[in-house]
Amino acid sequence: MHPKTRIHADPSLEMDQFDHLPDSLLLLILNKVADIRSLGRCGAVSKRFNSLVPLVHDIYIKIDRVVTVDGSDPDETPNIPSPRPRNMFTNFLKMVLYVIKPFHHIRSNTSGSRGPLFPQLSSQHSPAQVLKNFTHVRNLHIVLPSGDVGTEDGVLLKWRAEFGCTLQNCVILGGTRVDKKTSISSTQENLNLNSNLNLNLNSMQEDNGTMPESFYTNGGLKLRVVWTISSLIAASTRHYLLRQIIKDHPTLVSLVLTDADAQGTLIMGSKQLKEVRENQLACSASSNRTQVPACNMKLRYAPYLELPGGVGLQGATLVAIRPSCEGSGSGNGSKKETDSFILGAFDGVFKTAVKALMKRRSYLLEMNGF
């Protein structure tokens, strides 16, 4: 008679394999997640994850809504429509950013009890509130739902600004019209080729290395001034809105604020963040934004630029802006550093446009602080 045999399950198969991973490795994984909503879900998995999520270094926040501060119910405030209004940048001066219900269905652990990291949130929480319990943030990237400066259809406007306590660098790339070549028949292609040839010949007649007279008489210069002031207002408003986050997170070494339209980008590195923490911001008396100092602006212009991929840019304009006062705390860098900032501001065909415009003659303009 054979002895009875018993089959036992391998206990190692019932264990969660994540339990074997050290905290340091889990933090590397969570840093790759970055997205604030996904991190919230990770924190709801277990008590261990809940204790590790606040220690992540890299965080990405996508803003769902911009709510006006006018005393109205935020839930009744509609989303910003698309295309956005032309005076969007003026309205932006009195707006607060909200992340909509990032963790509205999440609890801090599997038992369903409310925990300290992810409390039951109301319908809107600002980025500063959402980040409150993250204690080791080093790299923060925030994305707004849209650009701040309204433009006509077909107009190109992009900017990139670097701030410390105040503006340090800003570069603006603009164009009155972007032409994109599409797949067409050979007959139509010949017609368009002749049309483009005439356009380029006309541009060459005007483009003799100096600013054409028409640039001053047909409102071209005025339009560029409007682009410049609007972009600086947008950048200084974004900078002002970040002050609480910078104060609350001394571990920050990189802060980037962009928008879903890829219109504008505000950047701050470790030196700039340290400058903000150690000095008081100069705020504009008329609105909730950082004061823009007196600046020198170098404007470069080309009537038409042919870019890779069949893209053409009419009225191509590059404006490089630097504070004119050395005592403004702006840290006047060398020409090499400034040129490096300008050339690295944009990617793709826009980078090509900047390189082409940097070879053009520059015109110096001065602007008072505002």
mmCIF file with all atom_site columns, all heavy atoms in Angstrom, residues 109-128:
data_model
loop_
_atom_site.group_PDB
_atom_site.id
_atom_site.type_symbol
_atom_site.label_atom_id
_atom_site.label_alt_id
_atom_site.label_comp_id
_atom_site.label_asym_id
_atom_site.label_entity_id
_atom_site.label_seq_id
_atom_site.pdbx_PDB_ins_code
_atom_site.Cartn_x
_atom_site.Cartn_y
_atom_site.Cartn_z
_atom_site.occupancy
_atom_site.B_iso_or_equiv
_atom_site.pdbx_formal_charge
_atom_site.auth_seq_id
_atom_site.auth_comp_id
_atom_site.auth_asym_id
_atom_site.auth_atom_id
_atom_site.pdbx_PDB_model_num
ATOM 1   N N   . ASN A 1 109 ? -5.610  53.613 0.687   1.00 0.00 ? 109 ASN A N   1
ATOM 2   C CA  . ASN A 1 109 ? -5.219  52.216 0.795   1.00 0.00 ? 109 ASN A CA  1
ATOM 3   C C   . ASN A 1 109 ? -6.384  51.317 0.427   1.00 0.00 ? 109 ASN A C   1
ATOM 4   O O   . ASN A 1 109 ? -7.489  51.776 0.162   1.00 0.00 ? 109 ASN A O   1
ATOM 5   C CB  . ASN A 1 109 ? -4.708  51.897 2.205   1.00 0.00 ? 109 ASN A CB  1
ATOM 6   C CG  . ASN A 1 109 ? -5.719  52.290 3.276   1.00 0.00 ? 109 ASN A CG  1
ATOM 7   O OD1 . ASN A 1 109 ? -6.862  51.873 3.205   1.00 0.00 ? 109 ASN A OD1 1
ATOM 8   N ND2 . ASN A 1 109 ? -5.283  53.084 4.254   1.00 0.00 ? 109 ASN A ND2 1
ATOM 9   N N   . THR A 1 110 ? -6.151  50.043 0.398   1.00 0.00 ? 110 THR A N   1
ATOM 10  C CA  . THR A 1 110 ? -7.157  49.106 -0.091  1.00 0.00 ? 110 THR A CA  1
ATOM 11  C C   . THR A 1 110 ? -8.328  48.941 0.853   1.00 0.00 ? 110 THR A C   1
ATOM 12  O O   . THR A 1 110 ? -9.361  48.379 0.475   1.00 0.00 ? 110 THR A O   1
ATOM 13  C CB  . THR A 1 110 ? -6.509  47.728 -0.308  1.00 0.00 ? 110 THR A CB  1
ATOM 14  O OG1 . THR A 1 110 ? -5.873  47.319 0.904   1.00 0.00 ? 110 THR A OG1 1
ATOM 15  C CG2 . THR A 1 110 ? -5.475  47.794 -1.416  1.00 0.00 ? 110 THR A CG2 1
ATOM 16  N N   . SER A 1 111 ? -8.240  49.392 2.064   1.00 0.00 ? 111 SER A N   1
ATOM 17  C CA  . SER A 1 111 ? -9.350  49.267 2.998   1.00 0.00 ? 111 SER A CA  1
ATOM 18  C C   . SER A 1 111 ? -10.429 50.294 2.747   1.00 0.00 ? 111 SER A C   1
ATOM 19  O O   . SER A 1 111 ? -11.518 50.202 3.283   1.00 0.00 ? 111 SER A O   1
ATOM 20  C CB  . SER A 1 111 ? -8.829  49.408 4.436   1.00 0.00 ? 111 SER A CB  1
ATOM 21  O OG  . SER A 1 111 ? -8.351  50.721 4.660   1.00 0.00 ? 111 SER A OG  1
ATOM 22  N N   . GLY A 1 112 ? -10.112 51.306 1.921   1.00 0.00 ? 112 GLY A N   1
ATOM 23  C CA  . GLY A 1 112 ? -11.103 52.312 1.586   1.00 0.00 ? 112 GLY A CA  1
ATOM 24  C C   . GLY A 1 112 ? -11.116 53.486 2.524   1.00 0.00 ? 112 GLY A C   1
ATOM 25  O O   . GLY A 1 112 ? -11.888 54.412 2.352   1.00 0.00 ? 112 GLY A O   1
ATOM 26  N N   . SER A 1 113 ? -10.269 53.514 3.535   1.00 0.00 ? 113 SER A N   1
ATOM 27  C CA  . SER A 1 113 ? -10.227 54.648 4.457   1.00 0.00 ? 113 SER A CA  1
ATOM 28  C C   . SER A 1 113 ? -9.474  55.805 3.828   1.00 0.00 ? 113 SER A C   1
ATOM 29  O O   . SER A 1 113 ? -8.613  55.613 2.993   1.00 0.00 ? 113 SER A O   1
ATOM 30  C CB  . SER A 1 113 ? -9.548  54.232 5.765   1.00 0.00 ? 113 SER A CB  1
ATOM 31  O OG  . SER A 1 113 ? -8.218  53.837 5.529   1.00 0.00 ? 113 SER A OG  1
ATOM 32  N N   . ARG A 1 114 ? -9.803  56.982 4.246   1.00 0.00 ? 114 ARG A N   1
ATOM 33  C CA  . ARG A 1 114 ? -9.134  58.165 3.736   1.00 0.00 ? 114 ARG A CA  1
ATOM 34  C C   . ARG A 1 114 ? -7.779  58.323 4.397   1.00 0.00 ? 114 ARG A C   1
ATOM 35  O O   . ARG A 1 114 ? -7.646  58.191 5.589   1.00 0.00 ? 114 ARG A O   1
ATOM 36  C CB  . ARG A 1 114 ? -10.003 59.393 4.002   1.00 0.00 ? 114 ARG A CB  1
ATOM 37  C CG  . ARG A 1 114 ? -9.472  60.654 3.377   1.00 0.00 ? 114 ARG A CG  1
ATOM 38  C CD  . ARG A 1 114 ? -10.298 61.866 3.749   1.00 0.00 ? 114 ARG A CD  1
ATOM 39  N NE  . ARG A 1 114 ? -11.700 61.695 3.428   1.00 0.00 ? 114 ARG A NE  1
ATOM 40  C CZ  . ARG A 1 114 ? -12.614 62.622 3.670   1.00 0.00 ? 114 ARG A CZ  1
ATOM 41  N NH1 . ARG A 1 114 ? -12.264 63.756 4.231   1.00 0.00 ? 114 ARG A NH1 1
ATOM 42  N NH2 . ARG A 1 114 ? -13.868 62.404 3.365   1.00 0.00 ? 114 ARG A NH2 1
ATOM 43  N N   . GLY A 1 115 ? -6.747  58.634 3.604   1.00 0.00 ? 115 GLY A N   1
ATOM 44  C CA  . GLY A 1 115 ? -5.399  58.759 4.140   1.00 0.00 ? 115 GLY A CA  1
ATOM 45  C C   . GLY A 1 115 ? -4.869  60.152 3.961   1.00 0.00 ? 115 GLY A C   1
ATOM 46  O O   . GLY A 1 115 ? -5.495  60.999 3.326   1.00 0.00 ? 115 GLY A O   1
ATOM 47  N N   . PRO A 1 116 ? -3.680  60.436 4.478   1.00 0.00 ? 116 PRO A N   1
ATOM 48  C CA  . PRO A 1 116 ? -3.119  61.781 4.447   1.00 0.00 ? 116 PRO A CA  1
ATOM 49  C C   . PRO A 1 116 ? -2.658  62.224 3.070   1.00 0.00 ? 116 PRO A C   1
ATOM 50  O O   . PRO A 1 116 ? -2.616  63.402 2.791   1.00 0.00 ? 116 PRO A O   1
ATOM 51  C CB  . PRO A 1 116 ? -1.929  61.675 5.409   1.00 0.00 ? 116 PRO A CB  1
ATOM 52  C CG  . PRO A 1 116 ? -1.539  60.229 5.372   1.00 0.00 ? 116 PRO A CG  1
ATOM 53  C CD  . PRO A 1 116 ? -2.815  59.481 5.194   1.00 0.00 ? 116 PRO A CD  1
ATOM 54  N N   . LEU A 1 117 ? -2.276  61.269 2.184   1.00 0.00 ? 117 LEU A N   1
ATOM 55  C CA  . LEU A 1 117 ? -1.727  61.675 0.895   1.00 0.00 ? 117 LEU A CA  1
ATOM 56  C C   . LEU A 1 117 ? -2.800  62.071 -0.095  1.00 0.00 ? 117 LEU A C   1
ATOM 57  O O   . LEU A 1 117 ? -2.697  63.068 -0.790  1.00 0.00 ? 117 LEU A O   1
ATOM 58  C CB  . LEU A 1 117 ? -0.891  60.538 0.301   1.00 0.00 ? 117 LEU A CB  1
ATOM 59  C CG  . LEU A 1 117 ? -0.349  60.805 -1.111  1.00 0.00 ? 117 LEU A CG  1
ATOM 60  C CD1 . LEU A 1 117 ? 0.520   62.056 -1.098  1.00 0.00 ? 117 LEU A CD1 1
ATOM 61  C CD2 . LEU A 1 117 ? 0.441   59.611 -1.609  1.00 0.00 ? 117 LEU A CD2 1
ATOM 62  N N   . PHE A 1 118 ? -3.871  61.303 -0.174  1.00 0.00 ? 118 PHE A N   1
ATOM 63  C CA  . PHE A 1 118 ? -4.913  61.557 -1.166  1.00 0.00 ? 118 PHE A CA  1
ATOM 64  C C   . PHE A 1 118 ? -6.262  61.744 -0.491  1.00 0.00 ? 118 PHE A C   1
ATOM 65  O O   . PHE A 1 118 ? -7.093  60.845 -0.473  1.00 0.00 ? 118 PHE A O   1
ATOM 66  C CB  . PHE A 1 118 ? -4.994  60.395 -2.166  1.00 0.00 ? 118 PHE A CB  1
ATOM 67  C CG  . PHE A 1 118 ? -3.684  60.126 -2.832  1.00 0.00 ? 118 PHE A CG  1
ATOM 68  C CD1 . PHE A 1 118 ? -3.011  58.939 -2.622  1.00 0.00 ? 118 PHE A CD1 1
ATOM 69  C CD2 . PHE A 1 118 ? -3.108  61.073 -3.653  1.00 0.00 ? 118 PHE A CD2 1
ATOM 70  C CE1 . PHE A 1 118 ? -1.793  58.706 -3.219  1.00 0.00 ? 118 PHE A CE1 1
ATOM 71  C CE2 . PHE A 1 118 ? -1.894  60.845 -4.262  1.00 0.00 ? 118 PHE A CE2 1
ATOM 72  C CZ  . PHE A 1 118 ? -1.232  59.656 -4.040  1.00 0.00 ? 118 PHE A CZ  1
ATOM 73  N N   . PRO A 1 119 ? -6.478  62.898 0.090   1.00 0.00 ? 119 PRO A N   1
ATOM 74  C CA  . PRO A 1 119 ? -7.773  63.152 0.703   1.00 0.00 ? 119 PRO A CA  1
ATOM 75  C C   . PRO A 1 119 ? -8.845  63.244 -0.369  1.00 0.00 ? 119 PRO A C   1
ATOM 76  O O   . PRO A 1 119 ? -8.555  63.433 -1.538  1.00 0.00 ? 119 PRO A O   1
ATOM 77  C CB  . PRO A 1 119 ? -7.565  64.513 1.394   1.00 0.00 ? 119 PRO A CB  1
ATOM 78  C CG  . PRO A 1 119 ? -6.503  65.169 0.591   1.00 0.00 ? 119 PRO A CG  1
ATOM 79  C CD  . PRO A 1 119 ? -5.595  64.065 0.138   1.00 0.00 ? 119 PRO A CD  1
ATOM 80  N N   . GLN A 1 120 ? -10.104 63.097 0.053   1.00 0.00 ? 120 GLN A N   1
ATOM 81  C CA  . GLN A 1 120 ? -11.205 63.242 -0.894  1.00 0.00 ? 120 GLN A CA  1
ATOM 82  C C   . GLN A 1 120 ? -11.234 64.689 -1.369  1.00 0.00 ? 120 GLN A C   1
ATOM 83  O O   . GLN A 1 120 ? -11.496 65.613 -0.607  1.00 0.00 ? 120 GLN A O   1
ATOM 84  C CB  . GLN A 1 120 ? -12.528 62.877 -0.219  1.00 0.00 ? 120 GLN A CB  1
ATOM 85  C CG  . GLN A 1 120 ? -13.735 62.990 -1.137  1.00 0.00 ? 120 GLN A CG  1
ATOM 86  C CD  . GLN A 1 120 ? -13.679 61.961 -2.242  1.00 0.00 ? 120 GLN A CD  1
ATOM 87  O OE1 . GLN A 1 120 ? -13.218 60.859 -2.036  1.00 0.00 ? 120 GLN A OE1 1
ATOM 88  N NE2 . GLN A 1 120 ? -14.141 62.323 -3.413  1.00 0.00 ? 120 GLN A NE2 1
ATOM 89  N N   . LEU A 1 121 ? -10.946 64.886 -2.654  1.00 0.00 ? 121 LEU A N   1
ATOM 90  C CA  . LEU A 1 121 ? -10.834 66.243 -3.178  1.00 0.00 ? 121 LEU A CA  1
ATOM 91  C C   . LEU A 1 121 ? -12.176 66.771 -3.621  1.00 0.00 ? 121 LEU A C   1
ATOM 92  O O   . LEU A 1 121 ? -13.071 66.031 -3.998  1.00 0.00 ? 121 LEU A O   1
ATOM 93  C CB  . LEU A 1 121 ? -9.862  66.258 -4.367  1.00 0.00 ? 121 LEU A CB  1
ATOM 94  C CG  . LEU A 1 121 ? -8.435  65.783 -4.077  1.00 0.00 ? 121 LEU A CG  1
ATOM 95  C CD1 . LEU A 1 121 ? -7.591  65.929 -5.327  1.00 0.00 ? 121 LEU A CD1 1
ATOM 96  C CD2 . LEU A 1 121 ? -7.823  66.560 -2.937  1.00 0.00 ? 121 LEU A CD2 1
ATOM 97  N N   . SER A 1 122 ? -12.315 68.084 -3.616  1.00 0.00 ? 122 SER A N   1
ATOM 98  C CA  . SER A 1 122 ? -13.484 68.705 -4.214  1.00 0.00 ? 122 SER A CA  1
ATOM 99  C C   . SER A 1 122 ? -13.299 68.703 -5.720  1.00 0.00 ? 122 SER A C   1
ATOM 100 O O   . SER A 1 122 ? -12.356 68.142 -6.241  1.00 0.00 ? 122 SER A O   1
ATOM 101 C CB  . SER A 1 122 ? -13.633 70.141 -3.682  1.00 0.00 ? 122 SER A CB  1
ATOM 102 O OG  . SER A 1 122 ? -12.477 70.898 -4.000  1.00 0.00 ? 122 SER A OG  1
ATOM 103 N N   . SER A 1 123 ? -14.191 69.361 -6.438  1.00 0.00 ? 123 SER A N   1
ATOM 104 C CA  . SER A 1 123 ? -14.163 69.253 -7.900  1.00 0.00 ? 123 SER A CA  1
ATOM 105 C C   . SER A 1 123 ? -12.934 69.892 -8.523  1.00 0.00 ? 123 SER A C   1
ATOM 106 O O   . SER A 1 123 ? -12.527 69.504 -9.599  1.00 0.00 ? 123 SER A O   1
ATOM 107 C CB  . SER A 1 123 ? -15.426 69.889 -8.488  1.00 0.00 ? 123 SER A CB  1
ATOM 108 O OG  . SER A 1 123 ? -15.521 71.242 -8.078  1.00 0.00 ? 123 SER A OG  1
ATOM 109 N N   . GLN A 1 124 ? -12.349 70.904 -7.879  1.00 0.00 ? 124 GLN A N   1
ATOM 110 C CA  . GLN A 1 124 ? -11.143 71.533 -8.418  1.00 0.00 ? 124 GLN A CA  1
ATOM 111 C C   . GLN A 1 124 ? -10.087 71.713 -7.341  1.00 0.00 ? 124 GLN A C   1
ATOM 112 O O   . GLN A 1 124 ? -10.401 72.065 -6.209  1.00 0.00 ? 124 GLN A O   1
ATOM 113 C CB  . GLN A 1 124 ? -11.454 72.913 -9.025  1.00 0.00 ? 124 GLN A CB  1
ATOM 114 C CG  . GLN A 1 124 ? -12.379 72.892 -10.215 1.00 0.00 ? 124 GLN A CG  1
ATOM 115 C CD  . GLN A 1 124 ? -13.801 73.121 -9.808  1.00 0.00 ? 124 GLN A CD  1
ATOM 116 O OE1 . GLN A 1 124 ? -14.062 73.466 -8.676  1.00 0.00 ? 124 GLN A OE1 1
ATOM 117 N NE2 . GLN A 1 124 ? -14.725 72.915 -10.718 1.00 0.00 ? 124 GLN A NE2 1
ATOM 118 N N   . HIS A 1 125 ? -8.864  71.470 -7.712  1.00 0.00 ? 125 HIS A N   1
ATOM 119 C CA  . HIS A 1 125 ? -7.739  71.771 -6.834  1.00 0.00 ? 125 HIS A CA  1
ATOM 120 C C   . HIS A 1 125 ? -6.646  72.393 -7.677  1.00 0.00 ? 125 HIS A C   1
ATOM 121 O O   . HIS A 1 125 ? -6.370  71.942 -8.785  1.00 0.00 ? 125 HIS A O   1
ATOM 122 C CB  . HIS A 1 125 ? -7.223  70.515 -6.129  1.00 0.00 ? 125 HIS A CB  1
ATOM 123 C CG  . HIS A 1 125 ? -7.897  70.257 -4.814  1.00 0.00 ? 125 HIS A CG  1
ATOM 124 N ND1 . HIS A 1 125 ? -7.220  70.172 -3.627  1.00 0.00 ? 125 HIS A ND1 1
ATOM 125 C CD2 . HIS A 1 125 ? -9.205  70.100 -4.505  1.00 0.00 ? 125 HIS A CD2 1
ATOM 126 C CE1 . HIS A 1 125 ? -8.070  69.949 -2.634  1.00 0.00 ? 125 HIS A CE1 1
ATOM 127 N NE2 . HIS A 1 125 ? -9.281  69.898 -3.147  1.00 0.00 ? 125 HIS A NE2 1
ATOM 128 N N   . SER A 1 126 ? -6.006  73.418 -7.155  1.00 0.00 ? 126 SER A N   1
ATOM 129 C CA  . SER A 1 126 ? -4.915  74.068 -7.868  1.00 0.00 ? 126 SER A CA  1
ATOM 130 C C   . SER A 1 126 ? -3.684  73.178 -7.832  1.00 0.00 ? 126 SER A C   1
ATOM 131 O O   . SER A 1 126 ? -3.575  72.289 -6.979  1.00 0.00 ? 126 SER A O   1
ATOM 132 C CB  . SER A 1 126 ? -4.602  75.415 -7.215  1.00 0.00 ? 126 SER A CB  1
ATOM 133 O OG  . SER A 1 126 ? -4.003  75.204 -5.954  1.00 0.00 ? 126 SER A OG  1
ATOM 134 N N   . PRO A 1 127 ? -2.719  73.396 -8.739  1.00 0.00 ? 127 PRO A N   1
ATOM 135 C CA  . PRO A 1 127 ? -1.481  72.613 -8.706  1.00 0.00 ? 127 PRO A CA  1
ATOM 136 C C   . PRO A 1 127 ? -0.770  72.688 -7.358  1.00 0.00 ? 127 PRO A C   1
ATOM 137 O O   . PRO A 1 127 ? -0.225  71.693 -6.888  1.00 0.00 ? 127 PRO A O   1
ATOM 138 C CB  . PRO A 1 127 ? -0.652  73.251 -9.822  1.00 0.00 ? 127 PRO A CB  1
ATOM 139 C CG  . PRO A 1 127 ? -1.654  73.768 -10.784 1.00 0.00 ? 127 PRO A CG  1
ATOM 140 C CD  . PRO A 1 127 ? -2.786  74.256 -9.925  1.00 0.00 ? 127 PRO A CD  1
ATOM 141 N N   . ALA A 1 128 ? -0.785  73.862 -6.721  1.00 0.00 ? 128 ALA A N   1
ATOM 142 C CA  . ALA A 1 128 ? -0.125  74.005 -5.422  1.00 0.00 ? 128 ALA A CA  1
ATOM 143 C C   . ALA A 1 128 ? -0.770  73.094 -4.384  1.00 0.00 ? 128 ALA A C   1
ATOM 144 O O   . ALA A 1 128 ? -0.085  72.480 -3.556  1.00 0.00 ? 128 ALA A O   1
ATOM 145 C CB  . ALA A 1 128 ? -0.184  75.460 -4.961  1.00 0.00 ? 128 ALA A CB  1
#
